[in-house]
Amino acid sequence: MENFTFYNSTEIIFGKGEVNRVGEKTADYGKKVLLVTGGGSVKRIGLYDRVMNAFENADLEVFELTGIEPNPRISKVREGVDICLEKEIDIVIAVGGGSVIDTAKAVAAGVCFDGDPWEMFTMEGEPDEAIPVGVVLTLAATGSEMNGNAVISNLETEQKLAIHTPACLPVFSILDPVNTYTVPKEHTVYGIIDIAAHVFEQYFSHTESTPIQDSWAEGIIKTLIKESEVVLENPEDYNSRANIMLAGTMAINGLLSIGKDDDWASHAIEHELSAIYDIPHGGGLAILFPNWMKYVLSEGTDKFVQYAVNVFNIDTKGKSDQEIALAGIEKTREWFNSMGAPARLADYDIGEDKLEEMAAKAVSRGPLGSYKVLEKEDVLEIYRMSL
């Protein structure tokens, strides 16, 4: 295990009815609020009214940034920054999933940034200042409720880039599993796969002697496998929604990667797909990740054997390490398929046209990953394996 410093300042408020506390928690940071929401689902489920009532009871002045889409746009970030500067906003509150939260974080950092907000994503280094961000989570997926990451798309440049900064850690996040009951099946599936992918990016590492981190990671994956079957059968199973929601938060709040090298190549490869084709992030990961696993397997079969045995209970008798590892990868694909996730780029009508372009963009800032360092030709081969 390597040396590490761990820090996470986000207060997690978890459970039924905790949304009612959003007013009092927000009021701790000021009186003027920018409320960031998506396409209207928060109104359909009654959550918007509950939040607004809580704000009213706390005597808060609320301004709104609405219509945040999946693969959130820099244009909305700019709009939010303008509102914050004009209205002298004290705190940004995101009510939604990862796209809404990432937009809120980018807005909060953009308020303190001297320049166009997109420059935060293209510059060397990370923004080091932001106004406070609070969260009411409605989708278990990105884990953005307990980290300083934000991923934003620029449709003009066909780029999807990220910032990673403690300045954007939410000051509080309210997680009520009931608010995920009405998430459509496909988005529930994409969320589960995104959570699993976050775990994989940190689990598959050459760092030795990390049994605690590995056990945490394996436990999250096994929980997702079990609970995915339950929640797809009964979307209003509270315990299942709660376990998936907590898995999403714990998967990418920094704990799984303490003392380890992590990878993140598959996310970078997928970002090029969704930047150009605007496909669901979780759908892209479902297609790519098992192929990344096969492509990098020769760099360290032992970790894939551990994964196959500890997560899927693969019988090792009479099998080589290669066969055991491949059986674990195949079980991963079978799990994704059982949930109805896409398996090939063709499922999104994506062909070979832009594979070269995407591969070049993926490595434009340098090689990807650490389990196996990927150059352009490696990325291109993973895309081709995914056709």
Side-chain angles (χ1 to χ4, degrees):
M1 191 188 308
E2 299 172 356
N3 295 358
F4 68 88
T5 299
F6 176 76
Y7 172 81
N8 194 310
S9 59
T10 302
E11 179 183 11
I12 295 296
I13 304 165
F14 192 102
K16 292 179 183 178
E18 294 290 4
V19 171
N20 297 332
R21 296 180 59 189
V22 67
E24 64 181 82
K25 297 302 299 184
T26 301
D28 289 341
Y29 299 92
K31 286 294 185 181
K32 290 188 174 184
V33 181
L34 178 67
L35 175 64
V36 183
T37 58
S41 62
V42 294
K43 291 186 176 180
R44 289 194 296 274
I45 66 174
L47 180 58
Y48 175 86
D49 288 341
R50 289 177 65 192
V51 170
M52 292 298 285
N53 287 338
F55 286 160
E56 183 178 355
N57 291 337
D59 196 26
L60 300 174
E61 186 177 4
V62 183
F63 303 88
E64 297 189 52
L65 178 67
T66 63
I68 307 303
E69 300 176 80
N71 299 317
R73 321 308 198 220
I74 191 63
S75 57
K76 279 292 185 180
V77 174
R78 293 179 179 127
E79 184 181 338
V81 169
D82 288 344
I83 296 171
C84 287
L85 292 174
E86 179 186 349
K87 304 299 183 181
E88 298 181 329
I89 296 296
D90 297 310
I91 180 171
V92 183
I93 300 295
V95 180
S99 296
V100 172
I101 302 169
D102 285 7
T103 300
K105 290 177 180 178
V107 168
V111 171
C112 303
F113 184 73
D114 184 16
D116 179 74
W118 185 242
E119 295 173 16
M120 298 188 300
F121 294 84
T122 59
M123 70 180 185
E124 293 294 327
E126 305 286 356
D128 57 7
E129 190 177 0
I131 64 173
V133 175
V135 170
V136 175
L137 186 64
T138 64
L139 175 66
T142 69
S144 196
E145 64 274 9
M146 199 180 181
N147 62 49
N149 307 336
V151 181
I152 299 293
S153 295
N154 187 328
L155 298 186
E156 293 179 1
T157 62
E158 292 188 328
Q159 289 176 289
K160 186 175 181 180
L161 301 177
I163 54 175
H164 315 273
T165 171
C168 285
L169 279 164
V171 291
F172 68 83
S173 289
I174 298 175
L175 281 59
D176 182 345
V178 174
N179 291 328
T180 66
Y181 282 0
T182 57
V183 174
K185 176 183 176 180
E186 65 175 353
H187 292 294
T188 297
V189 170
Y190 294 151
I192 290 169
I193 291 170
D194 195 15
I195 297 167
H198 293 158
V199 176
F200 295 152
E201 299 280 21
Q202 299 163 90
Y203 179 79
F204 290 104
S205 167
H206 293 301
T207 306
E208 296 180 353
S209 189
T210 57
I212 295 173
Q213 300 92 316
D214 288 356
S215 295
W216 288 339
E218 290 161 2
I220 290 174
I221 296 297
K222 289 192 286 187
T223 297
L224 290 173
I225 293 169
K226 177 184 176 182
E227 300 296 2
S228 62
E229 184 174 351
V230 176
V231 80
L232 294 179
E233 181 69 26
N234 179 11
E236 296 189 8
D237 186 293
Y238 178 84
N239 287 328
S240 182
R241 288 288 191 183
N243 286 327
I244 292 170
M245 179 173 268
L246 185 59
T249 302
M250 300 306 291
I252 189 171
N253 66 358
L255 276 175
L256 298 188
S257 61
I258 55 173
K260 297 180 64 175
D261 288 330
D262 45 17
D263 194 84
W264 298 103
S266 295
H267 269 72
I269 295 169
E270 195 291 319
H271 283 172
E272 299 310 321
L273 269 178
S274 48
I276 290 178
Y277 292 102
D278 199 23
I279 65 172
H281 178 55
L285 289 170
I287 295 166
L288 292 169
F289 227 113
N291 292 318
W292 173 88
M293 289 176 166
K294 290 179 182 177
Y295 191 79
V296 307
L297 176 59
S298 61
E299 296 295 311
T301 308
D302 56 335
K303 199 57 177 277
F304 283 93
V305 170
Q306 177 183 322
Y307 169 70
V309 173
N310 290 357
V311 173
F312 290 106
N313 299 313
I314 298 298
D315 183 2
T316 62
K317 187 175 181 180
K319 296 186 179 74
S320 67
D321 283 355
Q322 179 87 358
E323 289 170 330
I324 297 166
L326 286 171
I329 296 171
E330 185 55 36
K331 282 290 186 182
T332 306
R333 174 63 76 196
E334 289 175 7
W335 173 40
F336 290 174
N337 289 350
S338 73
M339 293 188 286
R344 301 167 58 236
L345 293 177
D347 292 335
Y348 289 120
D349 295 321
I350 297 173
E352 297 187 38
D353 300 3
K354 297 190 175 183
L355 298 191
E356 287 266 0
E357 176 187 346
M358 290 189 297
K361 281 187 171 182
V363 299
S364 61
R365 294 185 168 189
L368 304 178
S370 63
Y371 205 80
K372 176 181 174 65
V373 177
L374 305 180
E375 304 285 353
K376 177 189 171 184
E377 289 305 315
D378 301 302
V379 176
L380 184 57
E381 181 57 29
I382 292 170
Y383 283 139
R384 286 172 175 157
M385 292 168 66
S386 303
L387 286 169

